[in-house]
Amino acid sequence: MTQAPIVDVHRPKVEYFNLADLTNTDPKGFVRPVEKYHVEPWGLYMARTSDHPQFHYIESWLLPKLHLRATIFHYLPAHRRDQDYYLDIGEFTPVAPKKWKSVDHYLDIVVRSARETQLLDVDELIAAHAAGLISLADAEAAVQHATAAIDGIAANGHTFEGWLETMDITLTWL
């Protein structure tokens, strides 16, 4: 009999985006400088350098109504991945005039434009719910939001931008 892989059970990752101070506080509490924030009616854009061993720069859009954080990682040559967008499912909201908060709800989607859309980390969501770290209502909502995104992206030729255009959303990146 094969053994199921061990799942990293952890609390939902919480992150803060302080537009006034141009900082981003990551889930581990590290405060990182942000090069650029930009607000649109549909969300918040952030661009900053990274000290991650696999990527040197990160760009993200928080899209509250879609319950998505869309990210482009600028990978170092030795760590490049076959992906165009990495989508986190969760709650992304302004919590003060110049401050936003994200609460990750475990599920992720990888978009390979015009080819495929892949759902990740279902095991993490189930394990977190079993451990009492996310409510049944929030877990169900995460599945619904992920399903809506996957359906929308797939219906538009597996293009994230195509799906967003159907909602009059145009994201700008560096």
Side-chain angles (χ1 to χ4, degrees):
M1 177 160 75
T2 60
Q3 186 173 341
I6 296 173
V7 177
D8 175 30
V9 180
H10 59 83
R11 295 192 176 287
K13 295 176 182 175
V14 177
E15 200 165 340
Y16 292 94
F17 305 83
N18 189 318
L19 286 67
D21 295 343
L22 286 174
T23 60
N24 168 222
T25 305
D26 75 12
K28 295 179 182 174
F30 294 108
V31 179
R32 310 211 185 268
V34 170
E35 289 184 8
K36 180 179 181 181
Y37 277 121
H38 176 75
V39 179
E40 289 287 348
W42 56 78
L44 172 68
Y45 171 78
M46 177 200 71
R48 68 170 176 82
T49 59
S50 174
D51 59 358
H52 194 278
Q54 295 183 10
F55 55 90
H56 62 91
Y57 204 80
I58 181 172
E59 296 179 81
S60 287
W61 274 97
L62 306 183
L63 304 168
K65 289 183 182 175
L66 299 176
H67 298 271
L68 293 177
R69 176 181 182 171
T71 300
I72 294 177
F73 294 100
H74 296 265
Y75 286 99
L76 297 167
H79 298 283
R80 287 208 173 106
R81 294 189 186 177
D82 182 20
Q83 69 184 37
D84 297 296
Y85 300 101
Y86 193 89
L87 309 178
D88 293 287
I89 306 298
E91 295 296 323
F92 308 96
T93 54
V95 292
K98 296 258 182 193
K99 192 171 190 180
W100 286 56
K101 177 182 178 181
S102 76
V103 180
D104 188 285
H105 285 170
Y106 302 96
L107 297 179
D108 301 308
I109 300 169
V110 170
V111 180
R112 295 177 185 94
S113 295
R115 293 184 292 141
E116 68 177 343
T117 306
Q118 180 182 12
L119 179 65
L120 305 174
D121 301 331
V122 174
D123 55 344
E124 284 187 24
L125 176 66
I126 292 168
H129 173 64
L133 299 173
I134 186 169
S135 71
L136 179 58
D138 285 342
E140 287 176 345
V143 171
Q144 291 171 351
H145 298 137
T147 302
I150 292 167
D151 285 349
I153 294 165
N156 286 277
H158 291 285
T159 63
F160 181 54
E161 304 93 336
W163 176 51
L164 294 178
E165 286 173 13
T166 69
M167 295 172 275
D168 295 322
I169 298 173
T170 302
L171 304 183
T172 54
W173 306 90
L174 290 180

